[in-house]
Amino acid sequence: DTAVSQTPKYLVTQMGNDKSIKCEQNLGHDTMYWYKQDSKKFLKIMFSYNNKELIINETVPNRFSPKSPDKAHLNLHINSLELGDSAVYFCASSFFDRENEQFFGPGTRLTVL
Amino acid sequence: GQQLNQSPQSMFIQEGEDVSMNCTSSSIFNTWLWYKQDPGEGPVLLIALYKAGELTSNGRLTAQFGITRKDSFLNISASIPSDVGIYFCAGQPGGSQGNLIFGKGTKLSVKP
């Protein structure tokens, strides 16, 4: 199936741990994004990558670091997890010249205890 | 930062009724989009609007890009139970690559 996929679907971890969330798209898109959705369902962009270059970085803590091994993957690594990091994280992708039409993955629900 | 005001926050309607929701901004947007999010899933793009005044339909859904470029509405006609979910408006301010600003969503519940 052509889609944006994320792993894991659920992630429960202790405060202070380091974790990664993986994202892959097989839509042939050249731009990928990470969003955070809080408990009130508010969606906010965190990062986007195009051709392995970071083109948006919305003042997120530097504990969050996106890593893109190729244009089909954009992983999110989080160091020293905090309680406030608990949220649903969505990966999305698009073509660079149609950046408005973003396709979202199913989300990763991160719970920090 | 820029914000979108989306209303209503939630709606409870009877199957078959029409639904209307809207989004406003204090600044001009070049693009307006409407997404739907089902429980446990990511948002799915419903309609994209690129020109002021544009009116676009997608099945029972109709959306318009306000002529002031500061607002948009989404109408759903003859609602059915599978319309339940959270509807988000999103806009792209001018000159911001991929930087979509999302509204806070309208949660729609449809009673059969």
Side-chain angles (χ1 to χ4, degrees), chain A residues 9 37 56 90 99-101, chain B residues 31 33 37 40 50 92 97:
Chain A
K9 176 77 171 172
Q37 187 174 47
I56 298 174
F90 288 99
E99 69 275 5
N100 295 311
E101 297 175 16
Chain B
T31 306
L33 306 112
Q37 184 177 19
Y50 296 100
Q92 186 184 43
Q97 170 67 32

Side-chain angles (χ1 to χ4, degrees), chain A residues 18-36:
Chain A
D18 302 338
K19 290 292 178 185
S20 292
I21 306 172
K22 295 185 177 181
C23 178
E24 177 181 3
Q25 56 91 10
N26 60 4
L27 297 166
H29 290 159
D30 51 16
T31 306
M32 296 182 72
Y33 312 83
W34 276 104
Y35 286 84
K36 179 180 180 180

Side-chain angles (χ1 to χ4, degrees), chain A residues 9 33 35 37 40-43 45 55-56 58 90 96 98-102 104-107, chain B residues 31 33 35 37 40-45 48 50 86 88 92 96-100 102-104:
Chain A
K9 176 77 171 172
Y33 312 83
Y35 286 84
Q37 187 174 47
K40 296 185 178 180
K41 305 295 185 184
F42 184 52
L43 263 170
I45 191 165
I55 57 175
I56 298 174
E58 291 288 319
F90 288 99
F96 182 77
R98 297 181 74 86
E99 69 275 5
N100 295 311
E101 297 175 16
Q102 297 180 16
F104 283 77
Chain B
T31 306
L33 306 112
Y35 283 84
Q37 184 177 19
E41 301 292 332
V44 174
L45 181 63
Y50 296 100
I86 302 177
F88 291 97
Q92 186 184 43
S96 58
Q97 170 67 32
N99 187 18
L100 292 183
F102 279 80
K104 295 190 175 181

Side-chain angles (χ1 to χ4, degrees), chain B residues 12 22 25 39 41 54 62 86-87 95 105 110:
Chain B
F12 296 85
N22 68 82
S25 168
E41 301 292 332
E54 180 180 354
T62 302
I86 302 177
Y87 291 80
V110 179

Side-chain angles (χ1 to χ4, degrees), chain B residues 26-96:
Chain B
S26 58
S27 55
I28 289 173
F29 280 71
N30 287 342
T31 306
W32 284 95
L33 306 112
W34 286 92
Y35 283 84
K36 182 192 177 195
Q37 184 177 19
D38 290 329
E41 301 292 332
V44 174
L45 181 63
L46 298 174
I47 295 179
L49 302 158
Y50 296 100
K51 290 173 58 176
E54 180 180 354
L55 183 71
T56 298
S57 293
N58 178 5
R60 294 177 295 104
L61 277 61
T62 302
Q64 185 159 30
F65 191 144
I67 57 173
T68 65
R69 297 170 62 192
K70 293 183 178 181
D71 63 314
S72 177
F73 72 75
L74 174 71
N75 287 342
I76 306 173
S77 62
S79 58
I80 59 178
S82 63
D83 289 335
V84 299
I86 302 177
Y87 291 80
F88 291 97
C89 64
Q92 186 184 43
S96 58

